[in-house]
């Protein structure tokens, strides 16, 4: 795409694919599920033209980056370790970089800021807030109590189980179902039934911001790797909880901006709006400078509204 360069580097013991373009201050873009570096294609081109060096890796388990076999190799400590090694390799001349994350990429970005705030100049996170560790209850226990066993994250836990269902549904269809999901409620996967409510028998209609070519790019990569690496992130929620015990109660002390769509299932999760707007979020991210809620926008906001998201990111980062 229009001069975006690609290379593979060995970092932290794995081969990591990165897409990059531009010269100047580094912006590290971190994708979520079920995406790849490609979800940042609009921002990479825009920020390269604005005088930045945009870097977007495929995180471990995704795309053209290695997928370690062990499910426990996908903790936040492993993934943050990859990013620190990546920055040491490609941005050694910059003490700190800008970071932008979405979905799992946002969770990893929060973790990067928690573990290594010395690496981050400022952060823009999309869709997923920083959630303080609850020392009294593991995440999966909380999710099952709230949503039940058919909730998608609960269904993702058994190795091989959801992969078999995805294989039966078909890679491109699974990706379309996720990428076009605009119900502000939670996703459920009753065993053997796929998405609820199920898609109609007619083909899934793609929104204007998502082309068949885009879906084909994602599908091509997932056909090659399968979904196991990406789903393994969800299988480490409780292990992450155990490993991050030393950070219980710690604040994220990096300048931050948060953007979410009002139709995003994350924004509509129980208690999230109150946490964001009534002081809880700011308590744990004291340098949170702005919260933007976009009307009529779903989960994949950086693809749905690329120019708007780029402007929000640029307006924030140019103040540093």
């Amino acid at each position: 795409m229009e001069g975006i360069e690609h290379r593979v580097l060995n970092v932290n013991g794995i081969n990591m694919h990165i897409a990059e373009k531009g010269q100047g201050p580094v912006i590290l873009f971190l994708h979520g599920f079920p995406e790849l570096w490609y979800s940042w294609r609009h921002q990479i081109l825009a920020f390269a033209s604005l005088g930045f060096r945009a870097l977007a890796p495929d995180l471990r388990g995704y795309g053209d980056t290695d997928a370690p076999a062990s499910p426990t190799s996908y903790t936040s400590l492993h993934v943050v370790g990859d990013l620190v090694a990546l920055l040491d390799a490609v941005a050694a001349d910059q003490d700190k970089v800008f970071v932008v994350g979405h979905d799992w990429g946002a969770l990893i970005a929060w973790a990067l800021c928690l573990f290594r705030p010395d690496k981050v100049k400022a952060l823009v996170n999309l869709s997923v807030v920083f959630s303080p560790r609850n020392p009294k209850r593991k995440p999966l226990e909380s999710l099952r109590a709230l949503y039940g066993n058919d909730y998608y994250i609960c269904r993702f836990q058994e190795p091989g189980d959801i992969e078999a269902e995805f294989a039966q549904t078909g890679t491109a269809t699974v990706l379309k179902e996720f990428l076009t999901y605009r119900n502000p409620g939670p996703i459920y996967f009753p065993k053997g039934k796929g998405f609820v409510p199920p898609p109609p028998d007619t083909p899934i209609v793609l929104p204007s911001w998502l082309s068949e070519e885009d879906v084909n790019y994602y599908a091509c990569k997932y056909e090659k790797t399968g979904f196991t690496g990406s789903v393994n992130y969800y299988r480490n929620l409780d292990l992450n909880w155990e490993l991050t015990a030393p950070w219980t109660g710690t604040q994220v002390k990096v300048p931050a901006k948060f953007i979410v769509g009002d139709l995003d299932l994350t924004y509509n999760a129980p208690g999230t709006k109150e946490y964001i707007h009534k002081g809880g979020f700011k308590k744990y991210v004291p340098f949170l400078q702005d919260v933007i809620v976009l009307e009529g926008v779903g989960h994949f906001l950086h693809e749905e509204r690329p120019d708007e998201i780029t402007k929000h990111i640029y307006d924030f980062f140019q103040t540093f």
Side-chain angles (χ1 to χ4, degrees):
M1 278 187 69
E2 300 179 50
I4 295 176
E5 298 177 6
H6 298 266
R7 55 177 166 151
V8 175
L9 297 174
N10 190 273
V11 297
N12 200 26
I14 68 167
N15 292 313
M16 173 173 274
H17 165 253
I18 60 170
E20 60 182 317
K21 186 175 174 64
Q23 298 294 326
V26 166
I27 304 180
L28 178 65
F29 290 95
L30 304 176
H31 68 82
F33 175 87
E35 297 179 290
L36 302 164
W37 75 268
Y38 187 82
S39 67
W40 297 111
R41 60 198 178 279
H42 306 296
Q43 286 75 29
I44 292 171
L45 297 173
F47 279 98
S49 71
L50 290 167
F52 291 85
R53 182 181 175 199
L55 297 175
D58 285 333
L59 298 178
R60 65 165 57 199
Y62 284 90
D64 293 319
T65 293
D66 285 351
S70 171
T72 56
S73 294
Y74 294 82
T75 71
S76 55
L77 290 173
H78 286 94
V79 185
V80 170
D82 296 344
L83 299 178
V84 170
L86 173 64
L87 292 175
D88 287 345
V90 303
D93 60 323
Q94 300 188 25
D95 292 336
K96 296 186 176 188
V97 302
F98 295 112
V99 178
V100 180
H102 171 253
D103 188 78
W104 261 105
L107 285 167
I108 297 302
W110 291 124
L112 173 63
C113 293
L114 193 65
F115 304 153
R116 293 299 303 271
D118 59 302
K119 290 285 186 184
V120 183
K121 192 179 300 184
L123 168 70
V124 175
N125 257 346
L126 314 180
S127 294
V128 180
V129 296
F130 176 74
S131 295
R133 181 182 182 273
N134 179 356
K136 297 178 180 177
R137 197 175 202 187
K138 292 185 177 182
L140 284 177
E141 184 185 349
S142 298
L143 290 172
R144 284 198 173 97
L146 193 59
Y147 297 115
N149 289 326
D150 287 343
Y151 182 56
Y152 79 108
I153 293 176
C154 300
R155 283 295 321 283
F156 280 5
Q157 295 307 310
E158 182 64 34
D161 185 31
I162 203 70
E163 292 95 323
E165 289 198 21
F166 285 172
Q168 195 170 8
T169 303
T171 302
T173 300
V174 169
L175 291 165
K176 287 180 180 181
E177 286 173 333
F178 273 111
L179 293 170
T180 61
Y181 190 86
R182 289 181 71 80
N183 180 349
I187 298 173
Y188 290 103
F189 274 115
K191 197 165 181 64
K193 294 184 180 178
F195 277 75
V196 172
D201 292 333
T202 53
I204 298 168
V205 177
L206 297 182
S208 60
W209 54 267
L210 185 69
S211 69
E212 287 288 348
E213 183 184 6
D214 297 331
V215 173
N216 289 341
Y217 182 87
Y218 287 122
C220 175
K221 299 301 180 183
Y222 278 95
E223 287 281 0
K224 186 181 78 170
T225 64
F227 284 93
T228 297
S230 57
V231 172
N232 277 339
Y233 284 68
Y234 295 91
R235 292 173 178 152
N236 282 277
L237 289 176
D238 281 356
L239 183 54
N240 282 334
W241 179 86
E242 293 174 17
L243 293 172
T244 55
W247 288 273
T248 301
T250 305
Q251 295 173 312
V252 173
K253 292 188 175 178
V254 167
K257 179 173 183 173
F258 181 72
I259 312 171
V260 68
D262 66 350
L263 299 178
D264 196 324
L265 71 169
T266 61
Y267 184 60
N268 291 279
T272 299
K273 291 177 184 175
E274 293 78 9
Y275 173 73
I276 290 173
H277 299 296
K278 295 188 176 178
F281 195 13
K282 179 79 170 175
K283 175 184 174 184
Y284 286 98
V285 187
F287 304 139
L288 179 66
Q289 296 185 17
D290 205 3
V291 171
I292 305 293
V293 180
L294 300 178
E295 291 186 13
V297 182
H299 184 63
F300 300 99
L301 63 173
H302 55 312
E303 295 191 80
E304 186 175 345
R305 297 273 187 89
D307 295 342
E308 198 171 344
I309 294 300
T310 294
K311 186 177 188 312
H312 277 301
I313 296 169
Y314 178 73
D315 289 348
F316 186 55
F317 284 167
Q318 72 169 344
T319 63
F320 294 91

